[in-house]
Amino acid sequence: MPSFEPIDFDPHAPLRPTTPPVRRGFLLTLALLCLAASLVYGIPFILDRAGYAWEAGRSRAAIEALDKLEKAGKINDASVLFRMAATAVSPAVVNIHTETEFRGPNGQVQALGIGLGSGVVIDKDKGYIVTNHHVIKDAIKIEVRLGRGQAIPARVVGADPQTDLAVIQVRGGLPVAARWADSDKVAMGDWVLAIGSPFALDQTVTAGIVSATGRNNLRIIGEGGYEDFIQTDAAINPGNSGGPLIDLAGRVVGINTAIYSPPVNGNGNGRGERRGSPHGEVGFNTGIGFAISSNMARRVVEQLVKEGRVIRGYLGVRIQDFSALAPAHAEALKVREGQGAVVSDVEPDSPAARSGLKNDDVIVEIGGREVVGAAGLRNIISSLGVGTRVPVRYYRDGKPRRGEVTIGEMPTLVALGLRLRDLPPHLLRRLPDEPGSAVVVEQVAPGSPAEEKGLAPGMRVLGVGDQPVRSKAECEHAVARLIPGKAVPLRVRGADGRDYTIRLGGDGQQP
C-alpha cells in the first residue's frame, strides 16, 4: 500500500499548486452579502408568513365572535330591524305605469310613450297615492300595480310641478297605508331604506344612510322650484321615482325623486337629473340620491287632496344669495357673508312693502326660523299659513332690526313662474295696436310652467280666457276668479305679432 511517507512520492514529479490563504476581507464581504440577502428576501418572507398567521388569527377570532353573537341572537336582532321596516311599508309601495301620446305638427299621434315609476299609499280607504309629478306628467293613462300584480286604473287628484309631487287615486280599499315621519328629526348618518321598482323590478329594497339634509339649492326641479332634499347613498335608480325613503321604524322620511347623473360620454350636466322611467334614458345609481323631505311632501300632499292645488305663503320680495352679488355690493351691506338672504326688490303693495322691508335689507330670521340663503327663505315663506303674522329679523346698513309681517297668498301667476308689469303711458302710446292693453311679461322663471309653455319677457297679455285685461291688476283679479287648481287660459301676443291662447297650470294633463 502506498504510504504518506516522502519516500513514496516521485521527487521528479511537478509540484501541485498551493491554495493561497483565505483573506479576512473576503470573509467579511461574504458575510455582509449573506446578511443583505437575508434582509431582502428572508425578513419579508418571515413577515409575510407572520402577516398571514395574524390575519388568519383575526379571521378565526372574528368567526368565533360572530358564532357567539349568532347563538345569542344578536345578529338576527340587527337584521330584524331592516326586515321589519321593509315588511311594514312594502305592501304600501306600488308600481305606476303610464302612457303618454306624442303628437306631430299636424296634431296626429306619432308615438306612444311608456313610463314607469313608483308610489306610496297614504290613505288606504280613499285610495290616495303619492308619487312624483314627472312620473304622471302628460299621461293619458295611469295604472297602479300592487305587489301581487293586480293593475288598477288611477286618476290625478292634483299635482305640483314646483315640488315634483303628485297625488293619484284608485277606487276601492288598499291593503296598507304608510306613516309619515318628522323629517326635521332625520340626521346625517341615520339608516334609511329606499323601496320601489327600479328597472321594473317590483318591491326592491336598498339600504344606506342619510348623507346630508336640507339640500335646497340644487336646481333639479328648476329655478322656480321648491327644494328640501334628503341626500342618501341608498341605491336609487330609474323607476324608484315616487317611492318612499323610510327609517328603521317603518315611517316615510322622504319621497325618492332624483339621482345624481354624471356626464356620460361627454353628455349630461353633472348635476342631479330626475329619473321617472328607465326606457331610453341614461342614468344609474352613483351613491348620491335625493328624496323630498317628508315635512315638505306632507304639506303639499295635504293641500292637493283638500284644495286640488298648493296654496303658498307670499312675502312679495325678490331675493338673492350673497354669492350672486358683486363684491363691493356685498361688502357695503356690512353683514357676514352667507347670513340670511338679500332683498333685491320689493313688490309694491305686497306684505313685505307693508311691513317696511326695503331693497338691500338682509333677512336672517322669520317666524322664529333661521334663514340660510335665498332658497331657505323661499321654503320658509311658502310653508307659512296665509294670514299669519310672524316676526321678522333683518339687517339694514349693518344694523339689526325687528318687525312683523302678515303672510299673504302667493298670486297664481307668480306661482306659475310669471311676473307681469304695466307699460307706462308714454310707451303705451307708441303701440299701434290695441293701445288699451298695457300688460307685458316682465320675467319668466327658468324651469317654470310659464317657461315650458313658451312665455318670454316682452310678450303682451291681452286677456284671461274671453275677458280682456288692460292692466296687471285686472289680469290678476281675472285669474283669481278662476276655479282654484284649474288651468289659467292666457291670451298673449308673441314677438311675431300673432295672438294665441296658452293654458298654464292645472293638474298637468291639459294640452
Side-chain angles (χ1 to χ4, degrees):
M1 294 204 36
S3 68
F4 291 99
E5 292 297 327
I7 195 171
D8 294 330
F9 294 93
D10 184 359
H12 301 289
L15 294 175
R16 296 177 181 177
T18 58
T19 303
V22 179
R23 296 181 179 178
R24 291 183 180 179
F26 173 77
L27 293 176
L28 181 60
T29 301
L30 182 62
L32 290 174
L33 289 174
C34 292
L35 178 61
S38 65
L39 290 174
V40 172
Y41 298 103
I43 292 179
F45 176 79
I46 294 172
L47 292 176
D48 190 46
R49 301 311 299 175
Y52 275 127
W54 183 67
E55 289 292 342
R58 288 185 66 199
S59 177
R60 286 194 299 271
I63 291 173
E64 292 173 0
L66 287 171
D67 287 342
K68 290 180 180 179
L69 289 173
E70 185 178 22
K71 290 179 181 179
K74 300 298 183 182
I75 293 179
N76 185 66
D77 289 346
S79 297
V80 76
L81 289 175
F82 291 84
R83 290 200 302 265
M84 290 180 67
T87 302
V89 182
S90 289
V93 181
V94 301
N95 184 307
I96 299 176
H97 285 246
T98 63
E99 292 184 6
T100 307
E101 289 181 347
F102 295 95
R103 296 181 178 272
N106 57 3
Q108 293 182 343
V109 177
Q110 291 187 335
L112 187 66
I114 305 297
L116 172 68
S118 302
V120 58
V121 179
I122 58 164
D123 189 324
K124 64 184 183 67
D125 297 324
K126 296 181 179 179
Y128 290 135
I129 298 168
V130 177
T131 187
N132 286 139
H133 169 255
H134 75 265
V135 171
I136 55 88
K137 180 183 178 182
D138 299 326
I140 61 171
K141 181 180 179 181
I142 303 174
E143 279 189 347
V144 169
R145 301 185 182 184
L146 305 179
R148 57 184 179 272
Q150 179 184 1
I152 306 173
R155 74 174 187 94
V156 176
V157 174
D160 182 40
Q162 290 178 288
T163 54
D164 197 19
L165 287 166
V167 178
I168 60 176
Q169 184 181 28
V170 297
R171 291 183 179 179
L174 295 171
V176 177
R179 301 173 298 162
W180 292 106
D182 183 356
S183 56
D184 286 345
K185 296 181 180 179
V186 174
M188 185 170 58
D190 287 352
W191 279 105
V192 286
L193 306 179
I195 308 178
S197 304
F199 303 107
L201 299 172
D202 293 355
Q203 298 295 309
T204 296
V205 180
T206 57
I209 63 168
V210 172
S211 305
T213 59
R215 299 290 196 200
N216 61 14
N217 200 23
L218 302 177
R219 296 179 175 85
I220 293 174
I221 297 175
E223 294 289 342
Y226 292 84
E227 298 180 341
D228 184 18
F229 288 125
I230 296 172
Q231 181 182 328
T232 179
D233 64 352
I236 297 175
N237 283 292
N240 272 113
S241 292
L245 187 73
I246 66 172
D247 59 19
L248 294 188
R251 297 170 301 196
V252 178
V253 299
I255 302 297
N256 300 321
T257 296
I259 57 177
Y260 178 87
S261 294
V264 179
N265 296 328
N267 297 320
N269 57 16
R271 300 187 314 192
E273 293 181 8
R274 291 174 293 177
R275 299 299 179 196
S277 166
H279 302 288
E281 292 184 342
V282 176
F284 50 86
N285 173 56
T286 58
I288 301 177
F290 301 100
I292 302 167
S293 71
S294 60
N295 286 358
M296 173 178 278
R298 188 173 185 177
R299 285 194 301 268
V300 170
V301 165
E302 287 177 350
Q303 290 192 59
L304 290 176
V305 170
K306 183 179 179 181
E307 305 288 344
R309 65 188 180 110
V310 179
I311 302 173
R312 291 189 169 91
Y314 177 67
L315 190 59
V317 293
R318 299 183 193 180
I319 48 180
Q320 292 179 294
D321 290 316
F322 274 89
S323 59
L325 303 178
H329 187 183
E331 185 178 354
L333 296 178
K334 301 177 182 179
V335 179
R336 179 171 54 86
E337 183 176 354
Q339 185 179 11
V342 183
V343 176
S344 59
D345 190 29
V346 179
E347 292 281 341
D349 196 33
S350 66
R354 290 190 289 271
S355 70
L357 287 170
K358 297 181 178 180
N359 292 2
D360 285 341
D361 286 347
V362 182
I363 302 174
V364 296
E365 183 180 291
I366 189 164
R369 297 165 65 180
E370 181 184 1
V371 173
V372 181
L377 178 59
R378 290 181 70 243
N379 285 347
I380 294 173
I381 296 299
S382 69
S383 67
L384 294 173
V386 175
T388 58
R389 190 166 182 82
V390 295
V392 57
R393 188 164 62 88
Y394 59 97
Y395 283 85
R396 180 177 293 168
D397 298 325
K399 298 178 181 179
R401 295 197 174 206
R402 294 180 180 272
E404 286 190 333
V405 60
T406 301
I407 302 300
E409 179 179 344
M410 180 174 290
T412 301
L413 293 179
V414 174
L416 295 172
L418 186 64
R419 290 184 182 273
L420 306 176
R421 65 183 175 91
D422 290 328
L423 281 178
H426 71 280
L427 291 179
L428 186 60
R429 285 193 294 269
R430 298 179 185 178
L431 298 175
D433 57 330
E434 299 189 30
S437 177
V439 188
V440 176
V441 175
E442 179 182 23
Q443 184 182 32
V444 177
S448 67
E451 186 188 56
E452 288 184 1
K453 294 296 184 179
L455 286 172
M459 288 184 172
R460 294 179 55 199
V461 178
L462 307 178
V464 177
D466 295 330
Q467 179 181 348
V469 294
R470 294 173 176 80
S471 68
K472 175 184 174 183
E474 279 189 16
C475 184
E476 290 176 345
H477 291 157
V479 170
R481 287 195 293 269
L482 297 175
I483 299 175
K486 296 300 180 181
V488 177
L490 288 183
R491 287 195 298 112
V492 298
R493 176 161 295 165
D496 57 359
R498 296 173 55 191
D499 298 348
Y500 54 95
T501 299
I502 61 170
R503 298 170 66 85
L504 289 178
D507 61 8
Q509 298 190 80
Q510 284 85 4

